Amino acid sequence: MKTKEIVTLQRSLLVDTEKLLNKQVEMEGKSSAYYLSMASWCHMMGYDNAAKYLYTHADEERMHMMKIFHYINEAGGHAIQPEITDIRHNFNSLREIFELILEHEIKVTKAINLIVDHAFGVKDFATFSFMQWYVTEQREEETMSRRALELFDIIGEEGVGLWTIDQELGKLHDAATQVGE
Ligand code: OFO
């Protein structure tokens, strides 16, 4: 058990940095819930490969959340379990889902960049270095989201188009998970 004084001594995180990191915990947790909800819609609609892609993505986002969560506590801060509300459950089309994912990932990249910029500014090089993993991860996730969205334009949605897009999403998922292994 730690006294209040020891907890203060053990802090290496500035309060502002801790706040930004906790905001990011919330964002990653929301991303996970958002993608899980999208996975469920795809599963229910019979887009099985898109669902597989999104179930995996939801798991990855939770892992992103937990990585920051542990870091905050290890650096002497206090990680806060975020409240996750207002998650959308219904979507108009498969294409809309992949448009929303790209839009969301771009927002996440901006939030990550803000933390990196802040950490550098306050000379918190431990946090700066810790966040580099997220910088690389976001570049990969944005690329992957763009590839997925391109399928809709390349293949087209008419006839067997949506079925083919779903098959291709499965291949994209398998390639990405093999790289991640
Ligand atoms: Fe794709 O958002 Fe996490 O980092």
Side-chain angles (χ1 to χ4, degrees), residues 55-171:
Y55 281 129
T56 302
H57 206 160
D59 285 348
E60 282 171 2
E61 296 300 347
R62 180 172 161 80
M63 179 272 279
H64 297 173
M65 175 183 94
M66 291 311 295
K67 236 172 129 77
I68 304 176
F69 201 88
H70 287 294
Y71 177 78
I72 296 172
N73 283 332
E74 280 159 17
H78 184 186
I80 303 298
Q81 154 68 44
E83 248 181 68
I84 312 275
T85 52
D86 296 329
I87 299 298
R88 185 171 160 187
H89 300 293
N90 284 301
F91 302 90
N92 297 313
S93 64
L94 189 60
R95 184 187 183 110
E96 184 193 26
I97 285 189
F98 283 88
E99 284 170 351
L100 290 169
I101 294 172
L102 179 58
E103 200 180 297
H104 185 73
E105 288 300 331
I106 291 170
K107 270 191 209 151
V108 175
T109 301
K110 285 189 182 149
I112 301 277
N113 287 346
L114 196 81
I115 301 174
V116 173
D117 185 50
H118 165 85
F120 192 76
V122 298
K123 294 189 169 43
D124 178 351
F125 298 118
T127 301
F128 180 80
S129 148
F130 169 73
M131 291 306 296
Q132 297 311 303
W133 183 88
Y134 288 86
V135 172
T136 309
E137 181 69 13
Q138 276 313 114
R139 190 180 47 72
E140 286 167 9
E141 288 202 345
E142 275 194 32
T143 303
M144 177 96 164
S145 306
R146 288 197 175 88
R147 289 294 89 85
L149 199 50
E150 277 164 15
L151 293 172
F152 291 82
D153 292 328
I154 296 167
I155 299 170
E157 297 173 53
E158 299 304 313
V160 292
L162 278 173
W163 181 85
T164 312
I165 290 168
D166 189 52
Q167 297 301 307
E168 292 300 321
L169 286 169
K171 289 184 201 159

Side-chain angles (χ1 to χ4, degrees), residues 18-60:
E18 182 182 350
K19 272 193 197 148
L20 278 176
L21 288 170
N22 266 317
K23 249 178 105 179
Q24 196 58 33
V25 163
E26 184 179 350
M27 192 170 209
E28 303 290 342
K30 278 199 170 153
S31 305
S32 178
Y34 196 25
Y35 296 157
L36 184 60
S37 182
M38 289 173 173
S40 177
W41 186 88
C42 290
H43 204 173
M44 182 257 305
M45 294 293 286
Y47 299 123
D48 289 354
N49 289 296
K52 183 169 72 168
Y53 178 106
L54 288 160
Y55 281 129
T56 302
H57 206 160
D59 285 348
E60 282 171 2

